[in-house]
């Protein structure tokens, strides 16, 4: 029968004095199961809640956004101004890009207009046909077709007419330039024997349409009368104070004998 303190496979037994002596000298291992572990998720959660407390980073940014409508453009925070400006520039670029694609599709989908052929008749043909002929003769060496130029010419005229009727200053300038260019094209491409009549009809048609595009516009000089209201007038006065004052009035009972 083996003894209880006999080593097993060269190792001391659990009840041997040698094993107990080694066990006493070995430092105790920490109980890792009871030590709380600070994970990355808990640190992020703590930082998130801290930033939303009063005085935190996110709390201050939210206050800047909340108070921006009441403070106005000049009073709001600089980072809010920068964000709004950047967003506005991006929106304008997106709109311009979309408008460019739409305009390109519209121009490529324009029907082929025979600008050099006589496709109109009547009084309108006297003005329209010279413009068609002028566009057809001067667009042969360009990268754009004559029908597209003719369509753009009509579109600019209609848009400027509507904008001028709405009293837009830029549209009225465009309408004036459009009318002058149209009259010049008619005068250049009209037949020599009827050039004067065609130009006169173009001028009359443009001036008649200008009653709508330039409505409310007057050539009378504006007189501004400034009424000056008289302000407070200051008139200095010098008041001299007399240094000799009259003696005070003596009461009636001053001459009466004193009563003892």
């Amino acid at each position: 029968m083996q003894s209880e303190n006999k080593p097993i496979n060269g190792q001391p037994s659990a009840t041997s004095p040698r094993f107990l002596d080694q066990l006493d000298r070995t430092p105790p291992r920490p109980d890792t199961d009871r030590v709380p572990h600070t994970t990355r998720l808990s640190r992020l959660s703590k930082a998130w809640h801290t930033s939303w407390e009063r005085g935190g980073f996110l709390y201050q940014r939210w206050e800047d956004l909340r108070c921006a409508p009441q403070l106005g453009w000049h009073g709001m925070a600089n980072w809010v101004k920068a964000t709004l400006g950047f967003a506005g520039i991006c929106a304008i670029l997106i709109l311009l890009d979309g408008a460019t694609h739409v305009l390109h599709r519209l121009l490529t989908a324009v029907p082929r207009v025979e600008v050099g052929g006589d496709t109109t008749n009547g009084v309108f043909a006297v003005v329209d046909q010279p413009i068609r002929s002028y566009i057809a003769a001067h667009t042969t060496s360009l990268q754009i077709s004559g029908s597209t130029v003719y369509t753009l010419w009509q579109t600019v005229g209609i848009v400027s007419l509507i904008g001028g009727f709405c009293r837009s200053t830029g549209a009225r300038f465009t309408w004036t330039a459009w009318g002058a260019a149209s009259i010049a094209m008619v005068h250049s491409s009209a037949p020599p024997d009827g050039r004067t009549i065609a130009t006169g009809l173009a001028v009359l048609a443009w001036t008649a349409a200008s009653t709508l595009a330039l409505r409310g516009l007057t050539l009378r000089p504006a007189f501004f009368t400034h009424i000056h209201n008289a302000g407070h007038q200051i008139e200095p006065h010098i008041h001299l104070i007399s240094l000799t004052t009259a003696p005070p009035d003596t009461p009636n009972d001053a001459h009466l004998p004193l009563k003892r």
Side-chain angles (χ1 to χ4, degrees):
M1 183 175 183
Q2 297 180 354
S3 175
E4 295 181 357
N5 297 331
K6 186 178 181 180
I8 302 175
N9 297 327
Q11 297 295 333
S13 176
T15 58
S16 63
R18 182 181 177 184
F19 178 79
L20 295 176
D21 185 36
Q22 293 180 358
L23 186 61
D24 294 338
R25 295 180 181 179
T26 304
R29 299 178 59 184
D31 191 0
T32 56
D33 296 337
R34 297 182 181 181
V35 176
H37 293 277
T38 304
T39 60
R40 181 179 299 179
L41 181 60
S42 62
R43 291 196 300 268
L44 291 176
S45 178
K46 183 179 179 180
W48 172 263
H49 291 292
T50 303
S51 61
W52 278 108
E53 294 178 355
R54 183 177 297 274
F57 178 79
L58 295 179
Y59 179 85
Q60 294 294 337
R61 304 294 81 78
W62 173 252
E63 288 296 319
D64 293 340
L65 290 176
R66 188 179 61 85
C67 299
Q70 290 78 16
L71 297 177
W73 178 259
H74 297 285
M76 67 177 59
N78 293 329
W79 73 270
V80 179
K81 295 180 183 179
T83 304
L84 292 178
F86 183 74
I89 293 174
C90 292
I92 292 174
L93 293 178
I94 293 173
L95 291 177
L96 289 177
D97 183 70
T100 303
H101 287 291
V102 172
L103 183 61
H104 178 72
R105 292 180 181 179
L106 289 177
L107 293 179
T108 54
V110 169
R112 306 298 297 180
V113 181
E114 297 180 4
V115 294
D118 188 5
T119 58
T120 57
N121 50 24
V123 180
F124 182 71
V126 178
V127 179
D128 182 67
Q129 185 57 36
I131 295 176
R132 290 171 179 260
S133 301
Y134 185 89
I135 293 175
H138 291 81
T139 55
T140 54
S141 60
L142 299 178
Q143 300 297 328
I144 187 173
S145 62
S147 60
T148 304
V149 175
Y150 180 75
T151 304
L152 284 175
W153 175 80
Q154 289 180 325
T155 304
V156 170
I158 295 174
V159 171
S160 59
L161 177 62
I162 297 174
F165 182 79
C166 298
R167 299 188 177 185
S168 173
T169 304
R172 289 179 174 179
F173 280 116
T174 305
W175 171 260
T176 304
W178 181 86
S182 301
I183 294 172
M185 287 189 291
V186 171
H187 183 269
S188 177
S189 299
D193 53 349
R195 179 170 298 169
T196 305
I197 301 298
T199 305
L201 289 177
V203 172
L204 290 177
W206 179 74
T207 53
S210 296
T211 57
L212 298 176
L214 304 179
R215 70 183 186 95
L217 186 64
T218 179
L219 299 179
R220 293 180 180 179
F223 296 96
F224 298 95
T225 304
H226 297 279
I227 301 176
H228 179 70
N229 295 325
H232 299 284
Q233 297 181 359
I234 301 175
E235 297 180 358
H237 297 279
I238 300 175
H239 297 277
L240 297 177
I241 302 175
S242 179
L243 299 177
T244 59
T245 57
D249 296 336
T250 304
N252 297 330
D253 57 349
H255 301 283
L256 297 178
L258 296 176
K259 296 181 180 181
R260 294 181 180 177

